[in-house]
Amino acid sequence: MLETADTVTRLRSRCVTVIRRIERIVDLNYVGLVVATVFFALSVTPSLLPRDWMFQGLISGINAAIGYGAGCLLEWLFRLWVRPRLTRIPSPPTWSRYAMKSAVLLTAVLSAGYMLVQSAHWQRELAALMGMEGTTTPAYLRTGGLSLTVGVLVVACYRTLRELALFLARELNRWVRVPRELAPSAGFLLMVLLLVTLFNGVAGRAFFAVANSAFSVRNDNRSEYAVQPELPERSGSPDSLAAWETLGFEGRWFVSHGPGADRIARVTGRPAREPVRAYVGLESVRDTGQTQAELAVAELERTGAFDREVLVVVTTTGTGWVNSMAANAIEYMYGGDSAIVATQYSYLPSALSFLADRGKVADEGRELFDAVYDRIRARPADDRPKLLVYGESLGSQGSEAAFDGLADLRAKVDGALWVGPPNSNRLWQQFVSRRDPGSPETSPVYADGLVIRFAATRDELARPGPEWRAPRIAYLQHPSDPIVWWSPDLALTRPDWLSEPRGSDVSPRMHWAPLVTFWQVSADLTNAQGVRDGHGHRYGSLVLDGWAAVAQPPGWSPELAERIRLEIEAYEAYEREVK
């Protein structure tokens, strides 16, 4: 009997020793684990767009790591400020502590599993709102394993930085007399200063230099589906002042496609002209001594664009992309009696261009519009084309930059159509913040809709009433478009669009949580185009309805609109397949 008791005691002692070794290696903070579980649970609640397990695993792992860090901070503050003021409480027995820790671990695992099952259901609901096929629960459960891996990697990176900070603190104590209590904080601050300086300086410049070089290679790529135009109305043609090889990938695609006069006539049943498409790439002005805006105006002069019925100034996205559906729509609407001008300001995609130098898009948008506007003003008042502006995503931000405010905008243009505007757009922010009382942020009404309107559907362009004074300005924005609703403020501030009734394609189960919602919507940015037209950042043929509302041509009819819609949608499907 005594031998059995001794055996149990030795076994228990060995178990305690093994557990303590594991604890020292893992160094798990159980308060941090509890908060991490809460953050994980919040992160798998619905966001703006449906996610597959891989996207969800990445964002949930980051959120869990943030929660773990917050829990560690709370536990440290408790030990520093609260515990010394409490009456000393005897420590529980060793096995009691391990039982409590095991209970915490088990609860965390079961809670995470339950939330993953619920999340799979919510993801299917959200996918159904957008007419998409949802995920299965077994497939979605893989999120848990990926989240754990990502969370562990993030925590490991933090611990590496912590050790670096402690090392700096020790070195600081060797060379500078710093109070022992302040040495770790001083080391941490020094490390942060070094990292920030490195990123903003050498590392930041190096990253964007490499990215610029990489994407400039794509800019030089040639597509077998983009053939040099022969028509003099197109930039890149033999008659053009902007050489074909200088237009870049997106510029060459833009000028080599689009409907010709014959195609427009067949679709509309009316005589048509060859539309003008003027484009200036980053390389087009090399060794010319001209600015891009000056060369663009010269191209418009060469093609007779100022004699057309309508002239559209387009501010492109980062790589120089122009939405073909928006360009085709305006050309069909006006029977080819139109001109579209655009310039390229970067090799980088919009997201990187936004981070690297968002001032470029503002400068380019302002310079191009001012050059075109000055040339139009030089003509007699009765011999000017209708002047419209267009911008999508980051392009809308650059297009807005050409105007000081609403009065300046209305004085200079005959219409403006801005699609999927980023939340940081200056004019958009002004209009939305001053919206009429009672109108939601996702679908605001500004000054009774007399001048500016916001719409996610064709019907909303007619809201709130028939009176819409010229010149008309329209913003197209989906409630589920993360580009419209993403903002750094999401980290600590609940936005109006999550305090008010949700948009039609946003899950009613989506709620704001500090830090968590910021990371959720940030992840949605990467998948903004991965949904069907009418949701996210996919506006499809709604741009046709936007143009029809802003600058409806004579003889417009619902029948003609539908014929054009079928045509531009068919072209978009072709472009997605071959581009």
Side-chain angles (χ1 to χ4, degrees), residues 1 151 186 203 232 293 297 356 410 470 532:
M1 199 69 163
V297 170
R410 298 193 68 207
R532 290 189 173 183

Side-chain angles (χ1 to χ4, degrees), residues 377-494:
R377 285 190 63 191
R379 298 171 67 93
D382 59 351
D383 189 28
R384 298 173 181 173
K386 184 183 294 185
L387 180 59
L388 306 177
V389 291
Y390 177 87
E392 183 165 340
S393 194
L394 187 60
S396 71
Q397 191 167 98
S399 187
E400 277 192 359
F403 311 101
D404 296 331
L406 181 57
D408 185 44
L409 173 62
R410 298 193 68 207
K412 292 179 176 179
V413 304
D414 296 294
L417 180 62
W418 289 318
V419 179
N423 197 266
S424 56
N425 279 22
R426 178 176 53 86
L427 295 184
W428 180 89
Q429 282 187 341
Q430 292 177 11
F431 302 147
V432 172
S433 64
R434 298 172 187 172
R435 64 188 182 276
D436 294 352
S439 64
E441 187 175 24
T442 55
S443 185
V445 174
Y446 179 85
D448 291 327
L450 294 177
V451 177
I452 302 169
R453 295 196 176 178
F454 302 82
T457 65
R458 185 192 323 177
D459 293 340
E460 288 183 5
L461 285 164
R463 184 179 59 90
E467 185 178 4
W468 189 358
R469 298 172 186 171
R472 295 178 173 184
I473 298 104
Y475 286 94
L476 304 183
Q477 55 184 54
H478 291 147
S480 58
D481 186 350
I483 289 175
V484 178
W485 309 116
W486 181 89
S487 166
D489 294 341
L490 281 174
L492 299 174
T493 306
R494 184 195 304 273

Side-chain angles (χ1 to χ4, degrees), residues 514-548:
L515 300 178
V516 174
T517 303
F518 170 78
W519 286 112
Q520 283 184 312
V521 179
S522 297
D524 287 335
L525 291 173
T526 64
N527 195 37
Q529 295 270 4
V531 291
R532 290 189 173 183
D533 285 353
H535 307 282
H537 201 59
R538 291 276 297 273
Y539 290 86
S541 62
L542 183 62
V543 294
L544 172 63
D545 302 305
W547 277 133

Side-chain angles (χ1 to χ4, degrees), residues 5-48:
D6 289 342
T7 302
V8 170
T9 301
R10 286 196 300 270
L11 182 60
R12 180 181 297 176
S13 177
R14 289 177 182 175
C15 287
V16 170
T17 301
V18 171
I19 291 172
R20 284 176 175 172
R21 286 178 180 175
I22 294 174
E23 278 191 319
R24 281 196 297 270
I25 295 172
V26 176
D27 191 21
L28 186 62
N29 184 297
Y30 287 86
V31 176
L33 179 62
V34 170
V35 181
T37 303
V38 173
F39 270 55
F40 174 84
L42 291 172
S43 72
V44 296
T45 57
S47 186
L48 288 173

Side-chain angles (χ1 to χ4, degrees), residues 14 59 117 243 251 311 476:
R14 289 177 182 175
I59 198 64
V117 172
L311 195 162
L476 304 183

Side-chain angles (χ1 to χ4, degrees), residues 18-33 68-69 71-73 75 79 98 101 105 151-152 155-156 158-160 162-163 166:
V18 171
I19 291 172
R20 284 176 175 172
R21 286 178 180 175
I22 294 174
E23 278 191 319
R24 281 196 297 270
I25 295 172
V26 176
D27 191 21
L28 186 62
N29 184 297
Y30 287 86
V31 176
L33 179 62
Y68 185 81
C72 292
L73 178 62
E75 196 264 349
R79 286 190 288 106
Y98 287 136
K101 292 177 179 180
L105 278 171
V152 168
V155 172
Y158 162 75
R159 288 182 176 179
T160 302
R162 182 184 64 184
E163 291 302 315
L166 293 175

